[in-house]
Amino acid sequence: MARGFAAIRDNPLAFLEDTRRRYGALVAFPVPRTTALLVSDPADVRRVLQSGARTWSKATVQYAALARVTGPGLLAVADDRWLPRRRTAQPAFHHTRLDAVSESIRSAAGRVVGEWRSLPADGAVLDVDALAMRVTLDVIGQTLFDEDLAEVTDALVRATDEAAELVVAQGRQVVPLPSWVPTPVNRRLRRAVRDLDRICREVIARRRSRGVGESHDDLLGLLLAAGLPDDAVRDELVTMVVAGHETVASALTWTLMLLAEQPAHQDRLRAEVRAAGDVPALQLRRELPWTRAVVDESLRLFPPGWVVSRRATTPDVLGGRQVPAGTIAIVSPWLLHRDPAAWPDAETFDPERFDPERFVAGQPGRLVSGAASTTARPDYLPFGLGPRLCIGRDFSLVELTVLLAELLRDHVVSLPQGWRRPGVDAFVTLRPRGGLRLRVTPCALGAADRSQAGATGRPAAAQAANPPTTSVARWTPSRTSASAASEDV
């Protein structure tokens, strides 16, 4: 068992893959006093996260450790406080806000693109992981907090990163020690949480001083208007920084890497974006289907939330076997998304697998016209499944799609000389070990677009009342993609 704990600590993703390969879809871990199961069969996953969600709680070590950073916010809370908090926050993520949100996202991306205009003609090698963390925090500040976080960005990212890393380090200890024991990890974690507390309280105080009215629909305004105490508001702010910022940053980083590795997919995305121009948020999936498929496929290969857990509050049945109350179920989207039984050529980055002609219920890859599934898949859950699905799912998908469109419209990401894929650190989200450096190079509009661009600076095809036929093939996205899935918030 000691070797198992060492493997979990050193490389949890490889450990999970090896366990699934050697022992099957339902594996019991030799944990003293508690039944702990690795659950990888889609039917059992659906039981734990969706159909049996009322009797599978988030009262697990994983979320208790996370709550040391977030407090009992939407992500980690395991009791009845979850539903009232979710109802309070829900209007901040309503579809009616998505167009305004997309404009804020374009503005944040525009600031990055403005900096890139000074790049030399042959480009420069940049850490896109650091860039993703910065631009997504800018988006969160503007859209959820109605606050320019530029002055505190570095401190907030540093404190969030350190806290998340330390929570994971603590969770991987063979014998976890109480938080009051003055270990180096506990001392550093307390310091990081103090920094988060200070920054959040400053943001709350500034927001209160500006006043909060019924017309304010940003998350921070809604929480304050609901009369929540500052401690509860702080918990939700930190939760959104971790769940709404770091997860999207992780997804953006890996997507840029995958597109750098597959230039043809990136070229197709750029051509689609240039032909479409600025697209309203609610039409993104229809007007930028290839870009959205790229996002869906990247989330399959690198789901930011790589593992979730639940505790049974009553006896249940998994894999045809009785499991007692108190059983811990461990579900890994990383494993489910790379299962070759569900995903042919599972390790390959192939956005076309989300074509509805290929994406049949339970049988992705089988070519059956018109048979695309319309239900949430238990083997594709970058945003979770069931009642605890991510409150910001649609927000995140719009953010990723718009950021990719704006960043890559006039710039190319490519692999630098001597490229080697970085290792994957499985912290609260999946992060590239040591950052992720890609070459960013300016690229001009095509000749036709340059000659026909109007006053808006957009290609003429995007401005025409009746868009002309372009060289970009019209590609219809699957109805069963990330929007049919959900996350664990």
Side-chain angles (χ1 to χ4, degrees), residues 15 17 25 29 35 55 61 81 156 214 254 261 279 284 300 388 401 405 445 452 465 467 472 477 480 487-488:
F15 171 79
E17 290 172 345
F29 291 117
T35 302
T55 59
V61 171
R81 287 174 291 180
L156 191 54
E214 294 183 0
W254 295 115
E261 291 180 336
V279 179
L284 283 170
R300 183 187 68 82
R388 296 299 292 264
T401 304
L445 287 172
Q452 299 180 48
V472 183
T480 307
E487 189 185 293
D488 199 51

Side-chain angles (χ1 to χ4, degrees), residues 9 163-174 185 188 426-427:
R9 183 179 62 247
E165 180 179 346
L166 293 170
V167 161
V168 173
Q170 186 185 54
R172 292 178 188 167
Q173 292 174 347
V174 176
V185 168
R188 288 174 59 201
F427 296 145

Side-chain angles (χ1 to χ4, degrees), residues 71-293:
L74 281 174
L75 181 61
V77 67
D79 55 33
D80 292 340
R81 287 174 291 180
W82 164 73
L83 189 55
R85 294 263 188 103
R86 185 177 178 107
R87 286 172 174 165
T88 297
Q90 190 69 58
F93 300 93
H94 195 271
H95 282 181
T96 56
R97 291 199 71 226
L98 289 180
D99 276 338
V101 163
S102 67
E103 289 307 310
S104 296
I105 297 167
R106 286 190 177 94
S107 295
R111 286 186 277 278
V112 174
V113 171
E115 296 172 4
W116 285 357
R117 290 197 180 101
S118 62
L119 293 177
D122 60 348
V125 177
L126 306 175
D127 183 355
V128 297
D129 183 50
L131 177 148
M133 292 290 282
R134 179 164 57 91
V135 71
T136 55
L137 186 61
D138 188 359
V139 170
I140 287 290
Q142 297 291 342
T143 58
L144 293 186
F145 304 162
D146 193 21
E147 174 87 9
D148 184 352
L149 298 180
E151 294 182 1
V152 296
T153 293
D154 289 344
L156 191 54
V157 168
R158 185 167 55 250
T160 302
D161 271 359
E162 183 165 27
E165 180 179 346
L166 293 170
V167 161
V168 173
Q170 186 185 54
R172 292 178 188 167
Q173 292 174 347
V174 176
V175 182
L177 297 174
S179 60
W180 52 264
V181 177
T183 64
V185 168
N186 281 339
R187 286 197 299 269
R188 288 174 59 201
L189 182 56
R190 280 196 292 270
R191 186 163 56 247
V193 170
R194 278 198 303 269
D195 289 342
L196 283 173
D197 287 346
R198 174 182 53 78
I199 295 168
C200 286
R201 293 188 191 285
E202 290 173 359
V203 171
I204 291 170
R206 285 198 297 269
R207 190 69 170 81
R208 281 195 189 279
S209 68
R210 288 163 42 202
V212 178
E214 294 183 0
S215 62
H216 292 102
D217 57 1
D218 62 287
L219 178 64
L220 181 51
L222 290 167
L223 295 173
L224 294 175
L228 292 179
D230 281 3
D231 284 346
V233 175
R234 172 264 178 211
D235 293 343
E236 300 305 342
L237 295 195
V238 175
T239 293
M240 289 304 157
V241 168
V242 173
H245 156 242
E246 188 166 332
T247 53
V248 177
S250 168
L252 179 61
T253 296
W254 295 115
T255 306
L256 291 172
M257 181 198 77
L258 292 167
L259 289 171
E261 291 180 336
Q262 298 287 338
H265 292 336
Q266 184 183 165
D267 291 344
R268 185 172 175 179
L269 181 150
R270 183 175 299 103
E272 177 181 78
V273 166
R274 287 179 170 180
D278 294 336
V279 179
L282 295 180
Q283 297 178 31
L284 283 170
R285 195 172 178 195
R286 185 183 69 189
E287 298 298 325
L288 298 178
W290 179 253
T291 306
R292 173 58 186 274

Side-chain angles (χ1 to χ4, degrees), residues 42 300 335-346 353 359-360 362-366 377 379-380:
R300 183 187 68 82
L335 290 184
L336 291 162
H337 293 188
R338 292 169 179 256
D339 182 358
W343 304 97
D345 299 318
R353 73 174 75 242
F359 202 12
V360 181
Q363 302 179 65
R366 181 182 171 197
R377 294 175 52 125
D379 53 8
Y380 182 71

Side-chain angles (χ1 to χ4, degrees), residues 445-453 460:
L445 287 172
D449 281 335
R450 279 199 304 271
S451 64
Q452 299 180 48

Side-chain angles (χ1 to χ4, degrees), residues 379-411:
D379 53 8
Y380 182 71
L381 39 137
F383 296 96
L385 189 69
R388 296 299 292 264
L389 63 84
C390 177
I391 193 172
R393 176 195 62 190
D394 294 340
F395 183 111
S396 298
L397 290 169
V398 166
E399 183 176 359
L400 284 167
T401 304
V402 172
L403 285 174
L404 285 174
E406 298 302 316
L407 294 177
L408 299 181
R409 186 190 304 275
D410 297 320
H411 291 84

